[in-house]
Amino acid sequence: MKKWFIAVWAFTVLTAFVNSANAAAFDPSIWDGLLKRHVVVLRGGEASRVDYAGMAADRSKLQTFLREASSISQMEFDTWSRNAQLAFLINVYNAWTVELILTKYPDLESIKDLGGWFQTPWQKAFIPLLGETRSLDDIEHGLIRGSGRYDDPRVHFAVNCASVGCPALRAEAYTPGRLDAQLDDQARKFLSDRSRNRVYGNAIEISPIFKWYREDFEKGWHGWNSLSEFLEQYRSSLGMTPAQEKALRHGDMSIGFMDYDWSLNDTHGKSNGRLSLEEKR
């Protein structure tokens, strides 16, 4: 009876600690509202486009969110749970990417237009975050991928590079309590998009994201030590037949990579035009 009481007490204390850590984490409601108003979901969430004109009209709200995010200290951040930290970093990355686009919008056709001869847009240090001035690369490759704390390859379906070839910008903010479900939903929907991932015969063509960051999909997350094992877990999203699944498992399926579309993911972009009703479904 005494051991049972101690176990219950320990579980209660641990649950309270986790809940308090999550509750104390950053409130993304401003960003969530902007996403709900200005992200157009396509094909059931397989892709999305951003109404940057709408974001520009609401830019003061976006900048308020960014100022609030920049006020978080490293010490405060370190008290948060893993999921609270990761949700915060993904939200901040995506919000700063939108802000970067707005610095030149509508006079650009790609985020790459914001780079220079010696520096990509992702290498520009312009983001005040956790006590330092950082770049988008610092957030994605340093704080998220390089920290060793998160090691979840599904983040590649959540951080958004403002391009058509990128996984959808989700029409809601990421939150600690729902983070795992949100990341899984992002992965499944992206892999369901036949314009970027498809299987035919004994061949599979997938987004170059899997080539650029292959090591992240082979680090043993959930026990999956190869890209093939990762893809097998999402076989239903890829539309694989049992025979194709077996071929993938036994290394008999060739894996190729599709081209990446760097054009701006704008609802009114020059390359996209206005979205048709069919695209919005």
Side-chain angles (χ1 to χ4, degrees), residues 56-112:
D58 270 344
R59 194 172 180 185
S60 62
K61 294 179 181 178
L62 173 61
Q63 292 178 338
T64 295
F65 170 78
L66 295 174
R67 283 195 300 272
E68 292 179 358
S70 296
S71 72
I72 301 298
S73 68
Q74 182 70 57
M75 183 178 297
E76 181 179 356
F77 178 83
D78 289 342
T79 66
W80 297 349
S81 69
R82 172 196 177 277
N83 279 9
Q85 290 179 356
L86 184 54
F88 173 78
L89 292 174
I90 294 171
N91 288 331
V92 166
Y93 181 97
N94 290 340
W96 274 112
T97 298
V98 170
E99 172 62 18
L100 179 61
I101 295 298
L102 295 182
T103 62
K104 194 174 179 181
Y105 185 83
D107 300 320
L108 75 167
E109 296 184 9
S110 168
I111 189 173
K112 287 190 168 185

Side-chain angles (χ1 to χ4, degrees), residues 36-192:
K36 285 181 167 63
R37 282 194 297 276
H38 302 305
V39 173
V40 178
V41 175
L42 308 179
R43 302 187 297 279
E46 291 180 2
S48 70
R49 296 289 184 273
V50 180
D51 179 6
Y52 287 105
M55 284 287 192
D58 270 344
R59 194 172 180 185
S60 62
K61 294 179 181 178
L62 173 61
Q63 292 178 338
T64 295
F65 170 78
L66 295 174
R67 283 195 300 272
E68 292 179 358
S70 296
S71 72
I72 301 298
S73 68
Q74 182 70 57
M75 183 178 297
E76 181 179 356
F77 178 83
D78 289 342
T79 66
W80 297 349
S81 69
R82 172 196 177 277
N83 279 9
Q85 290 179 356
L86 184 54
F88 173 78
L89 292 174
I90 294 171
N91 288 331
V92 166
Y93 181 97
N94 290 340
W96 274 112
T97 298
V98 170
E99 172 62 18
L100 179 61
I101 295 298
L102 295 182
T103 62
K104 194 174 179 181
Y105 185 83
D107 300 320
L108 75 167
E109 296 184 9
S110 168
I111 189 173
K112 287 190 168 185
D113 295 344
L114 296 167
W117 287 103
F118 304 106
Q119 191 179 58
T120 71
W122 299 279
Q123 294 170 329
K124 291 181 179 181
F126 69 102
I127 301 169
L129 182 66
L130 302 179
E132 296 183 22
T133 301
R134 306 176 191 267
S135 67
L136 290 170
D137 270 357
D138 290 334
I139 299 175
E140 180 180 8
H141 306 308
L143 296 176
I144 296 178
R145 296 180 61 236
S147 69
R149 176 167 173 75
Y150 312 111
D151 285 342
D152 188 332
R154 298 174 303 175
V155 298
H156 293 296
F157 312 122
V159 293
N160 185 270
C161 65
S163 302
V164 171
C166 191
L169 177 61
R170 194 172 181 87
E172 65 176 1
Y174 290 90
T175 58
R178 298 179 54 231
L179 183 62
D180 185 67
Q182 288 175 312
L183 292 178
D184 196 60
D185 186 55
Q186 286 291 109
R188 292 186 185 282
K189 287 177 177 174
F190 181 64
L191 287 165
S192 296

Side-chain angles (χ1 to χ4, degrees), residues 200-276:
Y200 54 96
N202 273 4
I204 180 171
E205 284 188 333
I206 49 180
S207 167
I209 288 172
F210 293 102
K211 176 173 63 176
W212 300 333
Y213 303 111
R214 186 165 186 156
E215 63 187 81
D216 290 1
F217 295 93
E218 298 182 336
K219 281 185 175 180
W221 181 76
H222 280 205
W224 308 336
N225 296 300
S226 70
L227 178 57
S228 295
E229 289 179 355
F230 178 88
L231 295 173
E232 186 184 344
Q233 300 306 309
Y234 291 94
R235 56 191 177 274
S236 60
S237 299
L238 286 163
M240 285 186 175
T241 65
Q244 288 169 331
E245 178 192 343
K246 182 178 180 181
L248 179 66
R249 187 182 310 121
H250 293 287
D252 296 328
M253 179 171 284
S254 66
I255 298 178
F257 302 95
M258 303 179 73
D259 293 331
Y260 200 83
D261 187 346
W262 286 105
S263 57
L264 189 65
N265 61 341
D266 184 14
T267 56
H268 308 294
K270 295 176 183 178
S271 61
N272 297 321
R274 286 185 175 273
L275 296 172
S276 67

